[in-house]
Amino acid sequence: MPKRKVAALEKVEADLVSLQYKIRRDPRSYAQEFYDQWLAYDAQRQIFVSSPATASSEDVKKFHDLVDLVAHVANLYPEITAPFPDHLKELLNQHHAVLDKELREKIVGSLVLLKRKDVIDSTSLLTTLFPILINTPSKTLRSLLYTKIISDLREANNKTTNHKLNRTIQTVLHNLVTSDRTSTKGMWACRITRELWRRQVWNDARPVDVMKEACLSDNEKVVVGGVRFFLGGDKEREEALEDDASDDDVDLKKVKHQGTINKKTKKRSKQYEKAIEKIKKQDKKKHAPHPLNFSALHLIHDPQGFAEKLFQKHLQNTKNKFSLENKLLVLQLVTRLVGLHKLTIISLYSWFVKYLSPKQANVTSFLASLAQATHNLVPPDVIEPLIVKIANEFVSEASAVEVCAAGINSIREVAMRQPLCMNETLLQDLVMYQKSKDKGVVMAAKGLQSLYREVYPELLQKKFRGKQATMGLRSGEIKLRRFGEEEEGGIEGLELLARYKEEQKKKKAAEEAEEDENGEKKAKKDDDEEDDGFNSDEWEIGSTDSESSGGWIDVSSDEEDDGPAKKKARKSKGVDDDDDDEAPDLVEKEDPAAEAERITKLATTTILTPADLAKLQELRREAKLDKMLGTTQSKRKKELIEKHIEDGVTAEDIELPAMLGKKSTKEERVALARDGKPGREEHKSTQAIRKSKKEAEGKSTTNKEKARKKNFLMTIGKARAKNKRSLVETKKALTNHIAKSKQGGRRRNGV
């Protein structure tokens, strides 16, 4: 066979690769060879700087290989290669639009490699790549630069937070958004900030300020990017954490089992060691303290000013030409801010009026936003006209049942946050809709009724109040909170701990008193026995009577006096029993002011020990269990409001009663039945399903299945030998087989 001719370029490439290997092993010996290649690189660079578009493919290939060589060994010859990073930056900045695709990628990769070898720092690299990312028309180059920037920032913040680099990049992004508010370049600031926030590289207030400025931009795409960050950035971060946790899961049993049945090799032992290391890391993560990852909405500086600017610029401004979908996104952000921080924007509620109509597109989203924007510090006079408008437009016998249910449910969501917005006449009218024939309308009306039974039962008629609300009104437990009145805050469940400590003190005092009393009795008894010289047990009945009466002993021989005396004793005993029965009630009906004072004293004068905190957690758990079992009155209103503080109210929450009341079609029921079941396009037997499941899990087949699939020619010799065996040999083989199976097979697993 003739020898293949090697092309000149292939020889050069092979020489450069071998030279790179030799230089790494012995830099001093090959210094002259490297210097020759450096001169060749410099000559090629000057050609590319002068006219990069006219370079031939051979020149591009040669320059590509020379750049690769110099980048890999630049740290070994720092004096010679000192201008190399500046050469690459200059070439990339000036000619990135006309350079060859592969050469351009090699230059970017070489700059990243120089950063990893500490020839240049991260700030120099990122400030070079970022302007090109914004200005280049090439989609592939933009994608490459974006991934390199994100990976470099992640590496820089891997072990410890690099505050200096983060501050520099965040300033660049902030200036990019604020310098030209009409340009789409701010989209890159949104993308980078959102990705680093999702990966928890940035989690402080500075990236939030960048996205805040993006929301106030004049470009619609930039605004939508900023708004979506505030509405969904935290959920993305939680999902990314869950994905990382699921990716790290290692089945140690499976790895161990494979090590026992397969041949033992170094590779498998290394896999087992890696699996153990991963499990140790997972355990460390589980026991590590939870990081304080605040929501982006909580880190906004001056939320009142931000919400007002956002509302005036994008919603109230009639010259704004945003689409309805994007306007709804901005509205959701504004209302989330108002509800979360309890802001006051009075003009927002009057703006809602023109959109509260069943004919309005996406009207349930507007209703959900109105509920989000309501809180207990909004004046009831501002919300009442909106409630009346919803009732007039949505809730009537002529309206469709879905519309009616959505209207009543939206009124309930608003009233849950500000119960004072409802008047008595309107409430009675809405509650009467529980007699409707539609299930969704009935559910919505009963939900409104149950809400007002807890928060303001006086507005309901007596027949609609229910037993608990009526008893609460009589006892004074249910009190209407006036406008602007706030509930006292503090440590959750502290009143439980205070009550528990008080009970423990009383119990301890009672036990000590009982012990002292028993000790005095015993001492007195001993003294009496020593002094009198006779057994005092004979006088025990008389002594008991005297102790129970607590006064003088009347000695009388008449039997007539015994009856009234016994009756009096019984009567006094009955009074004592009644007092004992009433004592718990008196403890339960303690003055609220005294209880509040006791809790305040515990919170301000006592340092809670670890034992106290553990007991507090236990008491909270018991209280939650009692609430679930119905043994205590549930604070339903507070729980429902807290549910929507972080997640917000959605259109699905408004439409829920109508959807539950709606009768599902046959197709929907079939889809619901198939949901979660594996797809079976073709019929399979149970054995085939098990087999496919085994294969998916990476498990092996049994020996019988392997024997069935064995090549026929490989089994002929064994079959012939079996046929030639005598009866004695057959018996011996069967006996050995039975003995082996009893011992657990070849591996003696049964022993």
Side-chain angles (χ1 to χ4, degrees), residues 684-700:
K684 284 184 179 180
S685 63
T686 311
Q687 198 172 359
I689 292 170
R690 284 178 188 166
K691 189 178 177 182
S692 60
K693 192 177 178 183
K694 263 189 173 183
E695 287 174 358
E697 290 175 358
K699 293 180 179 177
S700 180

Side-chain angles (χ1 to χ4, degrees), residues 408-420:
I408 297 174
N409 198 38
S410 60
I411 290 171
R412 185 182 69 86
E413 291 287 345
V414 174
M416 191 191 300
R417 291 155 178 77
Q418 181 53 283
L420 300 172

